[in-house]
Amino acid sequence: MTLVTLSPAGEQAPAPEYKPTAFLKELVKQMHAIDSYGTYEGWPDERVLAPFIVTKEQRRQIPVVGDPDEETLARVKVLYNGVAAMIEQNCGLMAVPMANLSHEGFGRALITVGKLVVVDRTLRDVHRFGFESFEKLDAEGNKLLTPALALIEKFREVAEA
Amino acid sequence: MTLVTLSPAGEQAPAPEYKPTAFLKELVKQMHAIDSYGTYEGWPDERVLAPFIVTKEQRRQIPVVGDPDEETLARVKVLYNGVAAMIEQNCGLMAVPMANLSHEGFGRALITVGKLVVVDRTLRDVHRFGFESFEKLDAEGNKLLTPALALIEKFREVAEA
């Protein structure tokens, strides 16, 4: 298949192969959730997620001066919303994402479950937020999810507090 | 003493009596920390903290439409910075404040110590952020501080994680 993806940099790149994993399907749901105008309606999932894919070459071309654009900030939030949703599905407790992004592209992303901080990430160069492939995007989700679930297991009382 | 305070509403009100408690002194420090231009230099402490005092009458006059002004948002952050500093002084662990305020005056303020959420507050009508007296401002600080320290005591392992 030779689908073409419009990247954030406005360039065309051949779409990396899309395999609908649990996390990627959750991200699609979260993208639809923020799509107030129904722009993505009827789009195939890989097209909805296409802006998450930024190749090394594209990344280099994105300047890190000034403010990251609103769409990029929204995608960062969608990623953590997706991880939070997966945490909820796995442990049955409410997970609350919170991303604090400064205009300069720095920030901190948290997910809390009860009184437990299960994800805590420092963000930088948010302008260039993206992944080389769907596989790497999925891997990132799991890299956040797995230790979060382990922490909840270990400190269940705090997660339930 | 009949000091006169310039309130955020621009009105004049007699200053409530100022007693330098540990928390209020910490707030003064935090106000100086954000005072990049040295505006508050040489001011008496009660003058530095005066904008925190908003009487009921003044509160009613502040509209909650549009965005809260930058100074008000900065004061909200100063309050949580102050509580975080007091937590650090009391338990010897680093406390990290994080306030996420939407432009509409809603938000969430957190303080984390290690992987423990020790303060978690939903904020609303931030436009009207303020306290009727220095005594109430001090009481608010202690209301946030006391349960935070109790939580750290209870879940020390998580706070140290």
Side-chain angles (χ1 to χ4, degrees), chain A residues 96 99-100 108 112 115 117, chain B residues 96 98-100 108 112 115 117:
Chain A
V96 186
N100 214 339
R108 188 180 174 207
T112 58
K115 297 208 172 297
V117 179
Chain B
V96 185
M98 181 172 170
N100 213 339
R108 188 181 175 205
T112 58
K115 297 207 173 299
V117 179

Side-chain angles (χ1 to χ4, degrees), chain A residues 37-159:
Chain A
Y37 299 108
T39 313
Y40 308 149
E41 235 170 86
W43 286 20
D45 290 356
E46 56 263 56
R47 189 175 168 199
V48 174
L49 294 186
F52 280 94
I53 308 305
V54 179
T55 64
K56 270 188 188 161
E57 182 50 35
Q58 289 168 343
R59 189 184 310 266
R60 261 193 295 273
Q61 290 171 9
I62 304 172
V64 289
V65 290
D67 298 356
D69 63 74
E70 286 301 319
E71 286 76 21
T72 306
L73 295 177
R75 275 196 299 280
V76 173
K77 288 180 186 170
V78 158
L79 182 94
Y80 289 93
N81 290 350
V83 175
M86 295 288 289
I87 291 171
E88 285 193 11
Q89 287 158 32
N90 275 278
C91 75
L93 299 170
M94 199 172 77
V96 186
M98 182 171 169
N100 214 339
L101 299 166
S102 82
H103 286 297
E104 296 82 23
F106 286 84
R108 188 180 174 207
L110 281 187
I111 300 176
T112 58
V113 176
K115 297 208 172 297
L116 189 62
V117 179
V118 298
V119 170
D120 193 349
R121 272 287 182 92
T122 301
L123 305 172
R124 54 177 67 85
D125 291 348
V126 166
H127 311 71
R128 291 177 172 167
F129 176 75
F131 301 85
E132 274 176 72
S133 64
F134 286 123
E135 210 182 327
K136 290 206 170 164
L137 173 58
D138 183 57
E140 174 74 6
N142 289 301
K143 218 168 84 185
L144 292 167
L145 183 62
T146 309
L149 294 175
L151 267 175
I152 295 166
E153 183 90 359
K154 188 172 176 191
F155 298 120
R156 184 87 193 182
E157 190 188 351
V158 183

